[in-house]
Amino acid sequence: MSRFVKQADVRQEQFDWGVIGWRLVPETGSKHLVVMDVTLEPGEGHAFHRHDGQEEMIIVKQGTVTQFIEQESTRLASGDSVYLDAGVVHASYNDGDETAHLQVVIGPSIGDGGYGLVDVSAEEPWSSLR
């Protein structure tokens, strides 16, 4: 169902590593995509995880993040992005001095929430990389 999405319509969810604004999910009518606004405060990050069966694009809208693809990392700034194949382990950390704002697109949408996540942050080599 096509519709306008106003900022007031975006459901916010607080995590210990930041905030997700659920912009497009199955409950809002999406059949194929999940779109999120992600906020990472300085010193915070979304630890190592993967999305089995889902591709992901992370776009830095403001601030900077250290972005991992498996064990390789680089610093991404406003306007930079990263594409992740399905099942690839990744993490995003805000090592900067200002709040980082990211736009995240995941597809295809799966399950009721649209989003599948496998946390591997306690496993090696991921637990030693940060």
Side-chain angles (χ1 to χ4, degrees), residues 25-97:
V25 291
E27 71 186 47
T28 61
S30 176
K31 293 180 177 72
H32 302 288
L33 295 175
V34 174
V35 179
M36 297 173 273
D37 301 329
V38 176
T39 302
L40 297 175
E41 295 298 333
E44 298 298 326
H46 192 186
F48 289 92
H49 63 282
R50 68 178 191 262
H51 308 284
D52 294 340
Q54 293 181 291
E55 299 174 299
E56 181 173 11
M57 171 63 79
I58 301 171
I59 305 160
V60 180
K61 304 302 281 183
Q62 181 181 335
T64 60
V65 296
T66 299
Q67 180 65 53
F68 283 84
I69 300 175
E70 298 284 341
Q71 297 180 53
E72 180 183 357
S73 70
T74 194
R75 192 164 186 87
L76 298 179
S78 181
D80 295 336
S81 59
V82 60
Y83 165 75
L84 301 155
D85 286 315
V88 170
V89 174
H90 59 284
S92 307
Y93 294 100
N94 182 351
D95 295 326
D97 295 330

